[in-house]
Amino acid sequence: MNRDLIRAFEFVSKKYLKKYKKFPNIKNILFTNKWNIVISEKNIVGMAFNFTGEHDIYKQNIDVEKIKFYNNFISKSLSAFVEYLLKYENIQDRAFILASINAMSQELLIDEVQNNNLDYTYNNSMDFIKDEFVVTVVGYGMLIDKLQGRCKELNIVDKREELCLRTLVLDGDIHYEPADINFYKDISEGNLTEKTDVLILTGSTLVNGTYERIISGCKNLKEIGIFGPSAQILPEYLYSEGFNYIISKSIIDTDKYLKSIFNPLNSKYSKNEYMCMYSLYKKGRL
């Protein structure tokens, strides 16, 4: 049960306790559209995707009363919250577990960045993508503009309805845009497992636990990446799981971030004011 998240929690906890001696207490727990969020007493934000809204591919029956019960963990140790949640395997509880692990990870990552102890290099250019590569991205979102026109073939795997992903264009002909990207519902389609050179997964695959199956099913991978806020977990943990390219986001102003998500349609802050993106690459995965 939740073996992948237990492994992640043990990995991060060991490093966290070595440095800070005890687990942080929880300041806030939030449930909102797309995201489950845990904020530590030090105002460090951990996030994880929760597959709600147009992303609800699981047709979840979300127990809001159960989520309200988690108010009992406010000001309690984050470890107590995680250990309680590990009894459950539903998407929402797994997202809260990952958000908790990410909150600890972000505190450690901030320290490692400040002390220049990262065993990765910053890489915003994605210059490891070669013209002859077939690139497959699981989860249609950020990164696409960095990949279009740079590789032999760009494929997207996403289980959402087609009109959530593409625009239907009527101009005498009937077609969909973007036309230079191939769209699939599953990694098993289109011979993707055989021909993909670079595989980049949404961090939400850490939430639903599909990343191991997807990676192991692909035969000829040269690079494996992960992207999105759900991938806030320690880079060295992701490296141990097979990833060597990471693009994620840190919350740098928790107050502005909260004001924005509390009023998402009328926020006076741009994302750049409360969130920063980081891209890390480690050569030599194979």
Side-chain angles (χ1 to χ4, degrees), residues 23-276:
F23 288 103
N25 289 336
I26 295 173
K27 180 181 178 182
N28 301 106
I29 298 170
L30 295 87
F31 171 75
T32 187
N33 182 38
K34 295 185 182 180
W35 303 105
N36 288 5
I37 302 160
V38 174
I39 303 176
S40 75
E41 60 190 345
K42 299 179 183 178
N43 243 21
I44 306 295
V45 177
M47 306 167 62
F49 198 71
N50 62 18
F51 291 92
T52 53
E54 71 177 53
H55 302 272
D56 188 12
I57 59 174
Y58 297 106
K59 309 300 180 187
Q60 301 172 78
N61 182 19
I62 296 172
D63 188 345
V64 177
E65 292 305 311
K66 182 184 178 186
I67 293 174
K68 290 178 181 177
F69 170 77
Y70 298 159
N71 190 54
N72 290 296
F73 290 95
I74 300 301
S75 299
K76 301 289 185 10
S77 171
L78 183 145
S79 65
F81 185 47
V82 171
E83 287 164 8
Y84 174 83
L85 293 174
L86 284 170
K87 298 182 293 185
Y88 304 100
E89 293 187 292
N90 64 79
I91 290 293
Q92 296 310 313
D93 287 326
R94 283 181 58 90
F96 277 124
I97 294 168
L98 182 59
S100 300
I101 297 170
N102 285 346
M104 289 195 299
S105 293
Q106 286 293 293
E107 186 174 349
L108 287 166
L109 184 60
I110 289 168
D111 181 75
E112 289 184 351
V113 169
Q114 289 174 342
N115 291 290
N116 198 30
N117 289 331
L118 280 175
D119 190 24
Y120 280 71
T121 57
Y122 289 99
N123 189 318
N124 290 316
S125 66
M126 300 184 74
D127 53 12
F128 55 87
I129 302 291
K130 298 181 180 179
D131 293 344
E132 67 269 23
F133 281 175
V134 172
V135 178
T136 298
V137 180
V138 177
Y140 191 31
M142 59 189 291
L143 293 185
I144 304 305
D145 60 331
K146 293 178 177 288
L147 296 169
Q148 280 181 288
R150 295 187 54 184
C151 53
K152 176 182 177 182
E153 182 180 320
L154 178 57
N155 305 296
I156 303 294
V157 176
D158 197 303
K159 294 185 181 298
R160 284 178 286 170
E161 295 299 320
E162 185 170 38
L163 285 175
C164 292
L165 308 172
R166 309 177 77 186
T167 301
L168 175 61
V169 179
L170 310 178
D171 56 6
D173 292 323
I174 300 173
H175 57 101
Y176 288 89
E177 293 290 346
D180 59 342
I181 302 175
N182 306 311
F183 286 82
Y184 301 94
K185 292 285 188 184
D186 194 85
I187 193 71
S188 62
E189 299 172 4
N191 198 34
L192 297 179
T193 56
E194 298 293 333
K195 66 181 181 180
T196 296
D197 298 296
V198 178
L199 177 68
I200 305 176
L201 305 181
T202 166
S204 65
T205 58
L206 300 173
V207 176
N208 63 17
T210 59
Y211 72 96
E212 292 177 286
R213 173 183 61 81
I214 295 171
I215 292 173
S216 64
C218 294
K219 308 302 182 184
N220 300 297
L221 297 178
K222 299 176 177 64
E223 312 277 0
I224 303 176
I226 189 166
F227 69 93
S230 297
Q232 291 177 322
I233 196 167
L234 282 177
E236 52 262 55
Y237 176 75
L238 292 172
Y239 183 71
S240 74
E241 293 293 297
F243 299 99
N244 67 305
Y245 178 69
I246 302 160
I247 181 167
S248 191
K249 296 180 178 181
S250 292
I251 301 302
I252 56 175
D253 190 318
T254 301
D255 183 58
K256 288 181 180 179
Y257 170 66
L258 290 177
K259 288 177 180 177
S260 293
I261 65 172
F262 291 162
N263 190 18
L265 299 181
N266 194 31
S267 174
K268 63 181 180 179
Y269 302 110
S270 69
K271 288 186 177 180
N272 290 337
E273 292 182 74
Y274 58 79
M275 180 181 291
C276 73

